[in-house]
Amino acid sequence: MPITPATETQLPPNGTAEPILLELVDENGVTTGTAEKLAAHQPPGQLHRAFSVFLFDERGRLLLQQRALGKYHSPGVWSNTCCGHPCPGEAPFAAAARRTHEELGVSPSLLAQAGTVRYNHPDPASGLVEQEYNHLFVGLVQQTLAPDPEEVGGTAFVTAAELAERHAREPFSAWFMTVLDAARPAIKELTGSAAGW
């Protein structure tokens, strides 16, 4: 799940631009190498490590993020709280916490692992492919959001019923239901049965 424009590069201390690299993995999630981000998403896609975060407020409502219109992949669609790719060698938990703060300006008051899911989702609009081994995280957010407008087009806290209504009428990321369904057992444990997840 892309987290920065395809043309953006990372600047190391010597000032020379380098491409953004993703960590390639095998079907068991074992690292096999690296690939440039955009290249990894070209059909048929290269299996790489990713993460997805689902944060809830004290009322058990899920924080949704609308991806900024400037993103090269799935712009303007709704998705889970935060998603992205760890840097090669970066722990998925650390990447999830880092990107949540970078994108939404908050640090989760609780963040827990919720398993992994592997999927292959082509995106008809862009022609890119999500071949991902995705680490799932659930948690709580208790701070006021301060989204980065280059990353986030909008936010919304929704109940399970409100999510169903929104999902029926508005565009969501191709991977959203896959990662949500995979995270549901941990979400139910976090929010309790009354929340309806």
Side-chain angles (χ1 to χ4, degrees):
M1 285 163 265
I3 55 176
T4 54
T7 55
E8 186 170 323
T9 57
Q10 297 168 329
L11 289 176
N14 64 9
T16 305
E18 292 181 359
I20 295 174
L21 297 178
L22 305 186
E23 190 171 279
L24 301 180
V25 299
D26 65 16
E27 295 292 338
N28 297 311
V30 177
T31 303
T32 60
T34 60
E36 188 277 325
K37 185 167 71 172
L38 186 57
H41 289 88
Q42 297 294 329
Q46 298 177 67
L47 184 59
H48 58 275
R49 196 177 306 283
F51 64 84
S52 291
V53 178
F54 295 85
L55 295 183
F56 295 82
D57 66 8
E58 68 283 351
R59 294 166 51 189
R61 298 181 303 168
L62 171 61
L63 173 57
L64 296 177
Q65 176 186 144
Q66 184 179 36
R67 294 167 62 82
L69 290 175
K71 287 186 174 276
Y72 77 95
H73 189 356
S74 303
V77 303
W78 289 92
S79 198
N80 47 292
T81 307
C82 180
C83 53
H85 308 102
C87 297
E90 182 181 24
F93 185 93
R98 175 179 58 82
R99 285 303 298 170
T100 298
H101 188 268
E102 290 172 357
E103 292 187 9
L104 295 161
V106 295
S107 296
S109 56
L110 171 73
L111 190 65
Q113 296 182 31
T116 59
V117 63
R118 193 267 196 244
Y119 52 80
N120 175 1
H121 285 303
D123 177 30
S126 67
L128 300 176
V129 178
E130 293 291 1
Q131 282 269 21
E132 295 191 329
Y133 187 93
N134 196 303
H135 297 256
L136 307 171
F137 299 93
V138 300
L140 299 173
V141 61
Q142 297 175 309
Q143 297 173 294
T144 301
L145 303 178
D148 178 350
E150 292 190 12
E151 298 286 350
V152 181
T155 59
F157 282 96
V158 296
T159 64
E162 290 167 344
L163 173 61
E165 294 173 4
R166 186 182 290 258
H167 192 264
R169 71 175 189 267
E170 297 186 42
F172 274 72
S173 64
W175 61 85
F176 176 74
M177 287 309 299
T178 299
V179 293
L180 175 62
D181 287 345
R184 278 187 197 276
I187 291 171
K188 290 176 181 177
E189 185 175 343
L190 175 72
T191 61
S193 58
W197 293 102

